[in-house]
């Protein structure tokens, strides 16, 4: 896919619109123009270039990854440097420009593709699919923008010299209206997933458009509910579209371990509905490469054989909080305690529990207290979903970022049904589908996670079941960039005007039962153990509300766009 990035420069004006601070004096040679795009092969290259924007360092490869992974309550970073503003909660509008700009560049690219289809004549089936992909990508970008920044400028046409370069912020409602319109157009034009060739994995399908329609409907319904408005239509739509995907016959729940096995990644797309594809890049290295960095960022320096780094170890820039790892060793997710507990199989996949160091000795990660000779210990948990020992270099791996999976369709259906009617048999059955897959483990069934009785004999309230769904999503989707979105959209357990973010950050985690000093290994006590458990990385609590319910609009946008201006920054920033 990397070679198609050259086609991204097909029009100069849209690029300059997306990056207003770029110099106008640079002369571009041999830049493809719309007139040069004449065949379906040419147009396909342009479309592939549109997708390639997502694996740029400004987007999901690095800068976007930091925003999505480090502002929730499950992951943290004490690495400093580029991680510091997120880990220490000291970010500003200077830090949020890269992802904003890349999403708008991609929107500009999608608008160019739509205009290209308007101006050219290709076969009907080809045009239908390309239009669908352009509408899908535009909706996808606006969906990220509206959730992260609130109301944003809506640009829906290709830019030319007569365009208005300074659009005001549209309302959140207007942006969601456009997202739903584009996803509807995409859904009726895109092919079914199973008709897409393996070589085209990563391109949008009908199921992808419907899956995002389900998720966006749920999210918008959540936002209406938080404002005291009627969310009924959107919760109903969430169920309708989730059911469309569930009954489509295009997807299935796979063995959870196989999903994140780099050698089985192509097959993973039997469950993955849409993902950002990364491929080990033999032409480039490090940040410019089309490969991903997740193996480097999530794995620890003490472990080997997990990345393509020269010494084959990770950097542990992004780590699960200790409380988060401890939580999923209790309650519905474990039988017994300590090292002999039977855990939810997803725990063994989502957290990297044991490895080897360069000396060949066993390395165990927090919270393991196993006593062995020649055992090294890592004092923090690790996300285990991203391992690629065959990567070309430290920032050049083949691990994809799965944006939305089939499992989430069941959780969306369960949540929307619960919001409408409480924990009905329909809601609980959908919820249990995800837990049943986890129980099947790696071929040996387990009794955890515990299934909920379909008739709700445990008498869960709507708020209690919502919290169950929140926790289930936490384990199922850890390290996949969903947690912050869940925190800011889901309702507080007891106050319908507040978010789950406020519950976790302002009420739950500040309690003394969550130590603010991270644990260390104590080998000289009997028995040897960690100094404490359930710890929270203290700087992560340095937040205020409503400030941290949105990211700040980039300072560069406020300064350069007079239709927005410095006075129209998000609250608190």
């Amino acid at each position: 896919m990397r070679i198609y990035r050259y086609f991204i420069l097909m029009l100069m004006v849209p690029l300059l619109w997306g990056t207003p601070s770029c110099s106008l004096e640079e002369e571009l040679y041999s830049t493809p123009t719309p007139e040069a795009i004449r065949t379906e092969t040419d147009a396909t290259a342009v479309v592939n270039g549109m997708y390639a924007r997502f694996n740029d360092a400004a987007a999901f490869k690095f800068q976007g990854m930091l925003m999505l992974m480090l502002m929730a309550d499950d992951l943290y970073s004490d690495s400093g440097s580029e991680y510091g503003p997120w880990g220490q909660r000291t970010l500003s509008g200077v830090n949020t420009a890269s992802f904003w700009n890349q999403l708008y560049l991609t929107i500009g690219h999608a608008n160019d593709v739509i205009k290209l289809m308007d101006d050219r004549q290709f076969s009907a089936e080809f045009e239908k699919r390309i239009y669908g992909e352009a509408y899908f990508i535009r909706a996808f970008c606006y969906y990220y923008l509206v959730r992260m920044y609130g109301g944003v400028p809506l640009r829906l046409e290709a830019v030319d010299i007569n365009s208005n370069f300074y659009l005001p912020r549209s309302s959140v409602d207007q942006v969601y209206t456009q997202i739903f319109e584009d996803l509807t157009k995409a859904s009726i034009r895109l092919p079914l997933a199973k008709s897409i060739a393996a070589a085209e994995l990563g391109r949008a399908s009908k199921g992808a458009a419907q899956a995002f329609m389900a998720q966006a409907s749920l999210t918008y319904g959540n936002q209406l509910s938080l404002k005291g408005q009627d969310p009924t239509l959107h919760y109903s739509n969430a169920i309708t579209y989730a059911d469309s995907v569930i009954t489509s016959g295009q997807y299935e729940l796979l063995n959870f371990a196989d999903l994140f096995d780099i050698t089985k990644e192509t097959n993973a797309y039997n469950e993955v509905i849409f993902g950002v594809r990364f491929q080990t890049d033999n032409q480039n290295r490090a940040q410019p490469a089309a490969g991903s960095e997740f193996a480097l960022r999530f794995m620890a320096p003490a472990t080997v054989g997990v990345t393509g780094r020269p010494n084959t170890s990770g950097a542990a820039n992004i780590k699960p909080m200790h409380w988060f790892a401890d939580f999923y060793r209790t309650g519905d997710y474990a039988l017994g305690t300590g090292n002999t507990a039977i855990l939810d199989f997803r725990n063994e996949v989502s957290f990297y529990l044991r490895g080897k160091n360069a000396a060949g000795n066993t390395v165990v990660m927090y919270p393991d207290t196993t006593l062995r000779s020649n055992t090294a210990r890592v004092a923090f948990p690790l996300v285990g979903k991203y391992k690629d020992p065959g990567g070309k270099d430290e920032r050049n791996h083949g691990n994809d970022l799965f944006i939305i999976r089939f499992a989430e369709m069941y959780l969306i259906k369960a949540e929307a049904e619960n919001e409408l009617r409480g924990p009905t048999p329909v809601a609980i059955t959908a919820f249990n589908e995800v837990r049943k897959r986890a129980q099947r483990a790696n071929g040996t069934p387990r009794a955890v996670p515990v299934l909920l009785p379909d008739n709700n004999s445990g008498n869960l309230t709507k708020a209690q079941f919502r919290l169950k769904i929140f926790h289930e999503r936490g384990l199922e989707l850890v390290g996949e960039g969903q947690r912050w979105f869940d925190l800011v959209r889901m309702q507080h357990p007891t106050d319908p005007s507040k978010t789950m973010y406020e519950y976790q950050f302002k009420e739950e985690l500040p309690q003394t039962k969550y130590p603010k000093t991270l644990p260390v290994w104590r080998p000289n006590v009997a028995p040897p153990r960690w100094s404490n458990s359930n710890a929270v990385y203290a700087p992560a609590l340095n937040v205020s509300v409503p400030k941290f319910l949105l990211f700040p609009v980039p300072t560069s946008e406020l300064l350069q766009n007079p239709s927005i201006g410095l006075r129209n920054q998000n609250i608190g920033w």
Side-chain angles (χ1 to χ4, degrees):
M1 187 178 290
R2 182 72 179 180
I3 62 173
Y4 294 125
R5 291 192 177 186
Y6 295 107
F7 288 89
I8 291 172
L9 300 173
M10 67 184 220
L11 281 178
M12 206 172 159
V13 173
L15 286 172
L16 294 174
W17 162 70
T19 53
S21 61
C22 293
S23 170
L24 297 177
E25 298 178 1
E26 182 180 0
E27 186 172 1
L28 299 179
Y29 296 96
S30 301
T31 302
T33 64
E35 291 72 25
I37 312 300
R38 297 189 177 279
T39 68
E40 292 184 0
T41 299
D42 296 337
T44 299
V46 174
V47 169
N48 283 331
M50 180 170 60
Y51 288 98
R53 287 193 178 280
F54 293 142
N55 60 27
D56 191 271
F60 294 97
K61 181 181 173 80
F62 187 63
Q63 294 291 345
M65 174 187 68
L66 297 186
M67 296 177 72
L68 296 175
M69 301 294 183
L70 289 178
M71 292 299 287
D73 61 346
D74 57 340
L75 305 174
Y76 77 101
S77 178
D78 53 6
S79 292
S81 185
E82 292 175 278
Y83 303 87
W86 314 105
Q88 305 297 315
R89 303 298 194 254
T90 57
L91 69 144
S92 71
V94 173
N95 305 105
T96 60
S98 294
F99 200 25
W100 167 289
N101 286 341
Q102 194 67 10
L103 289 170
Y104 268 109
L105 282 169
T106 311
I107 289 168
H109 198 149
N111 289 336
D112 291 338
V113 169
I114 292 170
K115 187 175 189 305
L116 180 68
M117 291 297 101
D118 290 342
D119 294 344
R120 294 286 183 277
Q121 188 169 0
F122 300 108
S123 68
E125 281 304 303
F126 181 82
E127 286 189 0
K128 180 181 176 183
R129 181 181 183 185
I130 301 304
Y131 271 123
E133 289 182 285
Y135 289 129
F136 173 86
I137 292 296
R138 189 167 71 182
F140 177 88
C141 292
Y142 277 124
Y143 183 45
Y144 271 85
L145 285 164
V146 74
R147 289 183 295 167
M148 298 177 78
Y149 301 99
V152 295
L154 276 174
R155 186 171 294 280
L156 304 175
E157 296 180 354
V159 175
D160 60 31
I161 198 66
N162 298 312
S163 297
N164 178 6
F165 290 89
Y166 305 111
L167 296 176
R169 297 178 72 172
S170 296
S171 70
V172 168
D173 296 332
Q174 289 170 327
V175 178
Y176 269 104
T177 296
Q178 187 61 47
I179 290 167
F180 294 140
E181 182 179 325
D182 278 352
L183 287 175
T184 300
K185 290 179 179 178
S187 176
I188 63 178
R189 290 170 171 83
L190 288 170
L192 294 171
K194 290 190 181 300
S195 69
I196 296 176
E200 295 180 333
L201 288 182
R203 292 178 66 175
S205 65
K206 183 182 187 71
Q210 293 181 335
F212 278 108
M213 185 69 90
Q215 192 189 71
S217 296
L218 175 64
T219 299
Y220 187 50
N222 292 153
Q223 295 194 0
L224 292 176
S225 182
L226 286 166
K227 292 187 292 186
Q229 299 176 19
D230 184 7
T232 302
L233 172 63
H234 298 285
Y235 288 147
S236 297
N237 286 344
I239 295 171
T240 296
Y241 282 104
D243 272 335
S244 293
V245 178
I246 290 169
T247 61
S248 68
Q250 300 294 298
Y251 308 97
E252 61 183 305
L253 294 175
L254 302 177
N255 180 304
F256 195 75
D258 290 347
L259 270 173
F260 303 98
D261 184 338
I262 189 67
T263 68
K264 301 177 181 179
E265 194 169 70
T266 298
N267 187 65
Y269 280 81
N270 285 305
E271 175 167 340
V272 177
I273 300 173
F274 186 73
V276 175
R277 299 229 66 195
F278 291 92
Q279 299 175 358
T280 301
D281 191 336
N282 291 318
Q283 297 179 335
N284 296 279
R285 70 174 307 278
Q287 189 173 79
S292 64
E293 302 185 7
F294 309 131
L296 172 70
R297 304 305 174 192
F298 285 103
M299 302 308 296
T303 57
V304 300
V306 292
T307 80
R309 204 176 188 190
N311 63 0
T312 70
S313 68
N317 302 119
I318 301 174
K319 304 181 278 284
M321 287 202 205
H322 297 73
W323 81 267
F324 187 78
D326 288 335
F327 179 85
Y328 291 104
R329 302 172 75 89
T330 63
D332 288 355
Y333 301 98
L335 290 177
T337 59
N339 295 322
T340 61
I342 299 173
L343 301 178
D344 186 316
F345 179 63
R346 291 172 296 181
N347 195 299
E348 298 177 22
V349 177
S350 299
F351 299 100
Y352 190 60
L353 304 178
R354 189 165 298 159
K356 295 285 185 181
N357 61 17
N361 295 327
T362 298
V363 180
V364 297
M365 322 305 163
Y366 176 92
D368 197 303
T369 57
T370 303
L371 300 177
R372 288 189 180 88
S373 59
N374 297 321
T375 297
R377 296 187 188 276
V378 173
F380 44 80
L382 294 173
V383 172
K385 289 181 174 178
Y386 305 105
K387 302 185 290 292
D388 183 11
K392 182 171 181 285
D393 61 63
E394 58 197 33
R395 307 179 78 171
N396 193 356
H397 298 89
N399 308 94
D400 290 358
L401 179 63
F402 300 152
I403 300 294
I404 194 163
R405 295 193 276 109
F406 189 50
E408 195 176 350
M409 294 301 98
Y410 290 106
L411 295 176
I412 287 172
K413 180 177 179 178
E415 185 178 344
E417 174 71 15
N418 183 57
E419 295 302 331
L420 285 174
R421 290 174 278 271
T424 64
V426 171
I428 293 174
T429 298
F431 178 85
N432 279 340
E433 285 298 316
V434 179
R435 288 198 167 182
K436 286 178 182 177
R437 187 263 292 275
Q439 282 190 341
R440 291 195 292 270
N442 202 12
T444 303
R446 298 184 184 182
V448 287
V450 175
L451 299 182
L452 302 181
D454 290 344
N455 63 358
N456 192 25
S457 59
N459 296 315
L460 291 173
T461 65
K462 176 188 290 189
Q464 289 170 333
F465 188 47
R466 182 190 301 124
L467 201 57
K468 288 276 189 186
I469 294 168
F470 174 70
H471 293 318
E472 192 72 14
R473 290 178 62 87
L475 180 59
E476 179 74 27
L477 302 172
V478 61
E480 297 180 50
Q482 295 286 347
R483 181 74 169 190
W484 184 82
F485 292 129
D486 289 345
L487 286 164
V488 299
R489 70 172 179 82
M490 295 182 79
Q491 198 177 86
H492 185 288
T494 59
D495 188 336
S497 68
K498 292 182 179 180
T499 63
M500 196 71 75
Y501 185 98
E502 291 161 275
Y503 172 71
Q504 286 292 102
F505 278 101
K506 308 306 288 186
E507 298 177 31
E508 178 68 13
L509 297 181
Q511 296 182 58
T512 56
K513 66 180 180 180
Y514 299 101
K516 307 310 180 286
T517 301
L518 300 184
V520 295
W521 179 246
R522 290 182 171 174
N524 298 320
V525 298
R529 58 186 180 269
W530 297 101
S531 59
N532 56 280
S533 60
N534 294 304
V536 173
Y537 182 60
L541 299 181
N542 296 331
V543 300
S544 61
V545 175
K547 176 179 179 179
F548 278 83
L549 299 180
L550 290 172
F551 288 93
V553 175
T555 303
S556 56
E557 182 70 19
L558 300 179
L559 290 171
Q560 296 176 39
N561 186 346
S563 295
I564 299 180
L566 291 171
R567 293 184 178 180
N568 203 14
Q569 178 60 281
N570 288 330
I571 296 174
W573 294 103

